[in-house]
Amino acid sequence: MRNKLWRSFWGIFFLAAAALVVVNQMGILSYKIGFWAIVGTIIFALGLIDSVINRRITEGVFSIAFLLMVYAKPLHIERLVPWTILLAAVLISIGLGIIFRNRFHTVVYANKKIKDFRNKRESISDNIFTDTVSNEKGSHVVVDQTLSDTSRYIHSKELETIEVNGKLGDINLYLDDAQAAGDTVVMDLNVTMTELNIYVPLSWQVKDNLGQTFGNIQIEGTSNGGGPTLIIQGRASMSDIDVRYI
């Protein structure tokens, strides 16, 4: 399913690129795009898409910066090209890298000293900021998490539904001590750029009804049967969902 989605996406992308070339040559666009501008647009757009999918701040910021330089004339920002835009891209990349330290991956370092400094800063931060941990006992569990990590231990003896809303976070859900109220437990997801780990008892079955956009769901292990069915549904965009039997 995921490979088919990828093929469809890239097929549509290159069809759109071909349409851009044809429309530009026909003079339909109000601004005439040169050949090298089209090539640059395709290359930097690919870089931007890859950065979003793989959560790389530096690559994404500089892809946008180069796209701005390609279209500086129609955007009336010629006086910012190239050094102002490049300097702004460097500063934005550093700032976002600090804010979203655990969510994205920076890929460019100016020199070894900057890399060593970042490693020291991360070591200090790891001792200050820790995951939030909480226990849930109700039949209807709601998890709302944005820009942070959390671990939820669900001890409900009559569990019916779980709602997970997450953006740019890491979420761990432990269901090994939970008991279902009936034959099914419904987990409704609304997650974007989130890593979600779900730990379920061996007796539970898992049914995947999830709608995914550039996402991935993996089930590790096999149920031995006899327990309720966990139905995973909703939406997951650019997120990794791992279900693990314990």
Side-chain angles (χ1 to χ4, degrees):
M1 180 64 182
R2 187 186 184 190
N3 292 334
K4 184 177 180 180
L5 181 63
W6 273 111
R7 289 196 299 270
S8 299
F9 170 78
W10 289 117
I12 293 172
F13 176 85
F14 283 105
L15 288 174
L20 175 63
V21 172
V22 173
V23 169
N24 179 63
Q25 291 301 314
M26 293 176 64
I28 297 176
L29 298 177
S30 58
Y31 173 71
K32 185 70 173 180
I33 306 175
F35 171 76
W36 290 112
I38 294 177
V39 173
T41 299
I42 294 174
I43 292 174
F44 297 130
L46 286 172
L48 179 59
I49 294 170
D50 180 73
S51 69
V52 172
I53 293 172
N54 294 295
R55 294 189 279 186
R56 296 191 181 100
I57 285 180
T58 302
E59 182 181 340
V61 170
F62 276 91
S63 294
I64 294 173
F66 287 123
L67 284 171
L68 290 175
M69 286 191 280
V70 169
Y71 293 97
K73 186 174 181 179
L75 293 174
H76 306 292
I77 57 173
E78 297 98 322
R79 61 193 181 96
L80 301 180
V81 176
W83 301 115
T84 301
I85 290 179
L86 289 177
L87 177 59
V90 170
L91 296 175
I92 291 172
S93 178
I94 293 173
L96 292 177
I98 294 173
I99 294 173
F100 301 114
R101 178 180 60 82
N102 289 329
R103 314 292 163 248
F104 297 87
H105 313 286
T106 54
V107 296
V108 177
Y109 296 97
N111 53 49
K112 187 176 184 298
K113 290 184 179 179
I114 293 178
K115 184 175 181 179
D116 291 340
F117 171 78
R118 182 176 183 272
N119 290 336
K120 290 180 181 179
R121 175 178 56 79
E122 289 186 353
S123 177
I124 294 172
S125 298
D126 287 339
N127 292 328
I128 298 175
F129 300 102
T130 58
D131 294 356
T132 60
V133 179
S134 63
N135 298 307
E136 306 287 347
K137 297 182 179 180
S139 59
H140 304 283
V141 176
V142 178
V143 179
D144 291 307
Q145 204 70 18
T146 301
L147 295 174
S148 59
D149 304 342
T150 187
S151 295
R152 296 293 181 93
Y153 294 85
I154 300 176
H155 302 290
S156 173
K157 302 306 178 184
E158 50 182 18
L159 185 62
E160 297 179 10
T161 63
I162 305 171
E163 179 182 344
V164 181
N165 303 301
K167 293 181 180 178
L168 300 168
D170 294 342
I171 300 174
N172 296 308
L173 292 179
Y174 294 88
L175 304 178
D176 51 304
D177 192 42
Q179 296 180 13
D183 294 330
T184 61
V185 173
V186 177
M187 179 177 292
D188 199 357
L189 304 184
N190 181 19
V191 295
T192 302
M193 299 183 74
T194 295
E195 294 184 11
L196 173 60
N197 297 310
I198 306 167
Y199 299 89
V200 297
L202 282 172
S203 62
W204 288 32
Q205 292 88 39
V206 177
K207 183 177 181 180
D208 175 18
N209 289 340
L210 187 64
Q212 302 169 59
T213 305
F214 307 124
N216 180 41
I217 183 169
Q218 292 185 342
I219 300 176
E220 300 180 13
T222 305
S223 171
N224 58 20
T229 298
L230 176 66
I231 301 174
I232 303 177
Q233 62 184 30
R235 181 182 63 85
S237 300
M238 294 177 286
S239 300
D240 292 328
I241 314 297
D242 286 334
V243 180
R244 303 175 183 178
Y245 283 101
I246 56 175

